[in-house]
Amino acid sequence: MLYLVGLGLSDETDITVKGLEIVKKAERVYLEAYTSILLVEKEKLEAFYGRPVLVADRELVETGSDDILAGADKTDVAFLVVGDPFGATTHTDLVLRARELGIESKVIPNASIMSGIGCTGLQLYNFGQTVSMVFFTETWKPSSYYDRVKENVELGLHTLVLVDIKVKEQSLENMARGRLVYEPPRYMTVAQCAGQMIETEEERKEGIYGPESLAVGAARVGADTQKLVSGTLKELSEVDMGPPLHSLVLVGRKVHDLEKDYIRQFAVNQETFDASWQKGGYGTMQ
């Protein structure tokens, strides 16, 4: 059996009892380590599980799935995913590959950022499409996410923005020269995300959101060091929320007064928060 086991959002203790039992009896245990990270090192997982853990990077998952699935028709293989296996990042390709090889699979769900973002006090029913924000470069500033945000805004819904992480990435120069040298890991911050969103609006000029639009930044959701900050995009573009992982939520027009009261307590400045609220600075640029 191939088991896809969700690890939750924070540390080694977030795994479910069912997931832990599977990990302890599996022949091999892989940790998917390129779409997200836990807030603890692999060694802490190994100590808690009492098992060695093999790190599965992008290359292994995308091109070496046969190695992961080898023998899984006769023994149990556990594939560990931060959050929920079918949450923000799906691993359907691995399941489909297993199915082609006649290998059964089972998913053990867990909390993901898609549900964990409820910690902001914004009601999950009021969220629209989730979008991703990548690191901009001087020559590449994709704005396809903007169109999905626009659809959410038109419906009055909140938008969860998942921010970029770069793990085991090569520079263009090293790729061109065929050098297997990896860049240091990079994790986008709420401030970088908010700044890039303002930059996109300045480029697109469709009035979907702007510097005075209300948003909520979330860092290390589910951890003891979890931090929430609300304010305008301009304020959030200057805030320091500490270590990764970060996420950002654009507040939609249909926000309820209870949601407003909840996020106000995290405001960078409650006066500017109230002023933006009064101007209708949620979900559209004024």
Side-chain angles (χ1 to χ4, degrees):
M1 179 81 76
L2 169 68
Y3 289 96
L4 276 73
V5 181
L7 296 183
L9 291 167
S10 178
D11 58 33
E12 72 277 14
T13 64
D14 282 347
I15 191 170
T16 63
V17 173
K18 183 183 292 184
L20 183 58
E21 290 175 347
I22 289 167
V23 168
K24 285 184 175 294
K25 70 173 186 176
E27 181 75 16
R28 297 191 309 280
V29 181
Y30 293 93
L31 171 64
E32 190 268 89
Y34 70 90
T35 59
S36 190
I37 58 167
L38 281 183
L39 304 181
V40 294
E41 299 298 322
K42 175 177 77 84
E43 289 72 21
K44 274 208 167 186
L45 298 184
E46 293 177 322
F48 189 73
Y49 302 154
R51 299 293 313 283
V53 174
L54 304 168
V55 174
D57 58 18
R58 181 190 297 270
E59 184 178 356
L60 177 60
V61 176
E62 293 183 349
T63 64
S65 61
D66 287 350
D67 293 334
I68 296 173
L69 297 173
D73 55 337
K74 301 180 180 67
T75 58
D76 291 336
V77 173
F79 186 77
L80 312 182
V81 180
V82 177
D84 183 87
F86 291 155
T89 301
T90 60
H91 291 86
T92 51
D93 285 349
L94 188 61
V95 173
L96 290 174
R97 179 61 181 149
R99 188 180 298 169
E100 290 174 1
L101 297 172
I103 297 168
E104 291 186 72
S105 61
K106 186 173 184 179
V107 175
I108 311 301
N110 208 323
S112 77
I113 190 60
M114 305 289 280
S115 57
I117 200 65
C119 68
T120 57
L122 297 172
Q123 297 170 11
L124 296 180
Y125 287 156
N126 290 338
F127 277 77
Q129 302 170 85
T130 297
V131 302
S132 297
M133 174 68 75
V134 300
F135 281 109
F136 286 178
T137 69
E138 287 298 318
T139 57
W140 188 61
K141 300 180 180 182
S143 63
S144 57
Y145 77 91
Y146 185 93
D147 298 311
R148 295 195 294 279
V149 173
K150 182 177 181 179
E151 292 173 357
N152 290 344
V153 166
E154 289 171 346
L155 294 171
L157 301 174
H158 310 315
T159 301
L160 170 61
V161 185
L162 303 178
V163 302
D164 203 2
I165 70 172
K166 297 289 188 187
V167 179
K168 208 173 181 182
E169 296 276 339
Q170 290 180 272
S171 67
L172 292 176
E173 180 184 354
N174 284 327
M175 288 178 66
R177 294 175 179 270
R179 295 189 300 215
L180 204 60
V181 178
Y182 298 108
E183 299 294 295
R186 289 193 297 150
Y187 305 97
M188 184 179 286
T189 65
V190 162
Q192 289 170 319
C193 179
Q196 289 189 180
M197 295 196 80
I198 293 172
E199 189 175 348
T200 300
E201 179 57 53
E202 290 172 348
E203 174 71 24
R204 296 283 294 261
K205 294 183 172 62
E206 296 180 37
I208 302 306
Y209 53 77
E212 301 309 311
S213 295
L214 288 177
V216 182
R220 300 171 301 283
V221 170
D224 292 338
T225 59
Q226 174 179 296
K227 183 174 182 178
L228 303 173
V229 175
S230 64
T232 65
L233 278 178
K234 179 67 169 67
E235 288 173 331
L236 293 189
S237 72
E238 300 169 354
V239 75
D240 180 1
M241 298 194 66
L245 292 169
H246 293 191
S247 301
L248 183 141
V249 181
L250 282 174
V251 179
R253 185 181 68 254
K254 290 183 179 178
V255 61
H256 191 277
D257 282 344
L258 289 176
E259 295 176 275
K260 173 243 184 176
D261 291 343
Y262 198 93
I263 63 174
R264 186 179 183 272
Q265 66 183 309
F266 310 119
V268 174
N269 182 309
Q270 292 189 346
E271 288 186 6
T272 58
F273 180 96
D274 292 340
S276 184
W277 179 273
Q278 291 298 324
K279 287 191 248 178
Y282 39 87
T284 90
M285 185 174 73
Q286 298 298 310

